[in-house]
Amino acid sequence: ASLAAQVASSLAKNGATVGVINVRVYRPFVEEEFLEVLAPSVQNIAVLGQVKDQAAVSDKSEHSSLYTDVLAAVSFSTSLTQSPTVLDIKYAREQVWTPSKIVDVFRKAGRDLPEELDILDSSVQQYTFWNIDESPSVSAPLALGQLLSGDSALNVSVRTGRDNL
């Protein structure tokens, strides 16, 4: 959610008319509060909804639960001046979000954005740690990530992976 908000803010600085609504507490879904923060003139809503696995992402008959709630809220709303298009952007639990993937979501939602966008500033940094499983420092990246995430101004993400080769 914070990555999407940062990307939307960066796109808005470049003149794009985009926004992000973060549904912090999913159940129960409060339609009134969602519609209250939704701009009455909204044309497209792309719902990022997590589904069970990659097969569910590919299955056109399966929808995310958040999508069905947003679709119902928008369909039965009397406060919107027009009925916006609601898109179900499904993703699997293992999906890794990057700024460019968030930009792709805005494009799917009908935003006409230039191909080359400078959405990352010089403060964005990425680190890679290589180690072996038995090393005493194997937990260092996670500890460092937890330490950095204590600063609410930072967007910190830690991903770990194993390679047997």
Side-chain angles (χ1 to χ4, degrees):
S2 62
L3 178 62
Q6 289 174 354
V7 171
S9 176
S10 179
L11 291 173
K13 287 178 187 173
N14 293 329
T17 53
V18 296
V20 173
I21 297 173
N22 179 14
V23 178
R24 294 187 188 271
V25 178
Y26 173 62
R27 292 290 185 196
F29 185 73
V30 184
E31 293 177 3
E32 297 81 17
E33 288 185 24
F34 175 77
L35 293 170
E36 199 173 285
V37 296
L38 193 63
S41 61
V42 68
Q43 297 173 357
N44 298 308
I45 301 171
V47 179
L48 288 177
Q50 185 178 355
V51 292
K52 184 174 63 173
D53 54 20
Q54 195 60 40
V57 171
S58 303
D59 187 354
K60 294 192 184 295
S61 66
E62 192 165 332
H63 299 287
S64 67
S65 299
L66 183 57
Y67 168 78
T68 57
D69 286 343
V70 168
L71 183 62
V74 168
S75 297
F76 296 111
S77 170
T78 57
S79 63
L80 298 173
T81 56
Q82 61 185 10
S83 184
T85 302
V86 181
L87 303 169
D88 189 15
I89 310 293
K90 301 180 285 186
Y91 66 95
R93 181 176 303 134
E94 55 274 358
Q95 171 74 42
V96 176
W97 288 101
T98 63
S100 61
K101 288 182 182 178
I102 297 292
V103 169
D104 288 342
V105 169
F106 285 120
R107 285 192 177 110
K108 287 179 184 176
R111 297 290 87 195
D112 187 23
L113 303 172
E115 282 302 313
E116 293 297 319
L117 290 171
D118 186 22
I119 55 176
L120 300 177
D121 61 26
S122 61
S123 68
V124 174
Q125 298 178 9
Q126 179 175 337
Y127 300 96
T128 302
F129 294 86
W130 294 93
N131 222 328
I132 59 174
D133 290 342
E134 299 83 31
S135 172
S137 62
V138 74
S139 62
L142 183 59
L144 183 60
Q146 288 174 336
L147 179 69
L148 291 172
S149 66
D151 183 353
S152 63
L154 297 177
N155 180 15
V156 178
S157 174
V158 178
R159 287 186 286 282
T160 60
R162 303 283 189 261
D163 186 351
N164 292 334
L165 302 176

